Amino acid sequence: MFRRPEAAGTALRTVETRARRTVRRCRRVAAVTMIERAGPGDAGEILTVQRAAYVSEAQLYGDPFIPPLVESAEQVRAAVETGVVLVARQGKRIVGAVRGRMSGTTCLVGRLVVAPDAQGRGVGGALLAALHAEAASARAFDLFTGHLSEGNLRLYRRHGYRETRRERMSDHLTLVHLRREP
């Protein structure tokens, strides 16, 4: 199949490397037993995880009143009832969540949150991938994050999101808008 032996070796090394990365990712996400749609009864726990996850963002931007920290349980419940909200469960505990809402053929992604003690284990990436699968008919996925949120930007870029524009909100906050087209 390959004309040069070294090309076959390169292809094999590439496949082996990808397999090792997949196994590492699976081990990191192994503690997450399930990703599923949230129900209205999950709103309180989603809000708790959301607040815990966004405290570091509030500190980063010097603003304790960012919308995810002042949102009410009723607002979260309304989001669950009117859009797609997925949760990651570790046993019975919710350790992460993400929201998606269709606007035409675009899925608007919002409030990707992971409990601080579960961060860095692939939960956020697994939630994003699950949302992409859930909204498979979407022609694009749009989201935004703050310009100082380097970890978030890295995650989104790893999942195929590309920066489309920046929007200056105040002296201390610029929103970075990103889009993923499948």
Side-chain angles (χ1 to χ4, degrees):
M1 181 164 139
F2 293 98
R3 294 179 191 237
R4 296 175 303 178
E6 62 272 9
T10 301
L12 183 58
R13 280 191 299 280
T14 300
V15 169
E16 288 172 350
T17 301
R18 286 184 186 147
R20 280 194 296 275
R21 285 184 194 142
T22 300
V23 167
R24 279 197 304 266
R25 265 189 241 121
C26 289
R27 273 195 218 124
R28 285 196 326 244
V29 182
V32 176
T33 56
M34 187 178 350
I35 294 177
E36 62 186 8
R37 283 188 86 133
D42 294 323
E45 194 171 356
I46 292 169
L47 184 58
T48 299
V49 172
Q50 178 175 301
R51 287 180 175 164
Y54 273 98
V55 165
S56 61
E57 293 291 302
Q59 291 171 335
L60 185 61
Y61 294 100
D63 183 359
F65 301 107
I66 60 176
L69 292 180
V70 296
E71 190 171 33
S72 70
E74 292 76 27
Q75 290 171 309
V76 174
R77 189 173 298 107
V80 169
E81 292 171 346
T82 60
V84 174
V85 178
L86 302 177
V87 293
R89 294 186 192 276
Q90 185 177 32
K92 293 183 179 182
R93 177 183 173 219
I94 293 176
V95 294
V98 66
R99 300 180 195 180
R101 182 176 53 83
M102 292 300 293
S103 176
T105 60
T106 301
C107 179
L108 305 176
V109 181
R111 303 282 201 274
L112 174 61
V113 297
V114 177
D117 65 320
Q119 291 176 2
R121 297 184 183 153
V123 175
L127 282 163
L128 262 183
L131 181 62
H132 296 157
E134 183 78 17
S137 64
R139 292 190 179 197
F141 294 84
D142 286 350
L143 55 78
F144 61 86
T145 191
H147 71 291
L148 298 176
S149 303
E150 288 300 324
N152 297 348
L153 290 166
R154 275 192 308 276
L155 171 68
Y156 299 141
R157 288 182 179 127
R158 269 196 318 266
H159 283 271
Y161 286 83
R162 301 289 172 246
E163 184 175 330
T164 57
R165 66 187 173 98
R166 289 184 176 231
E167 179 181 12
R168 187 176 176 94
M169 301 302 289
S170 66
D171 288 341
H172 64 279
L173 174 62
T174 299
L175 294 180
V176 180
H177 293 261
L178 300 111
R179 170 170 275 208
R180 176 183 189 265
E181 295 176 320

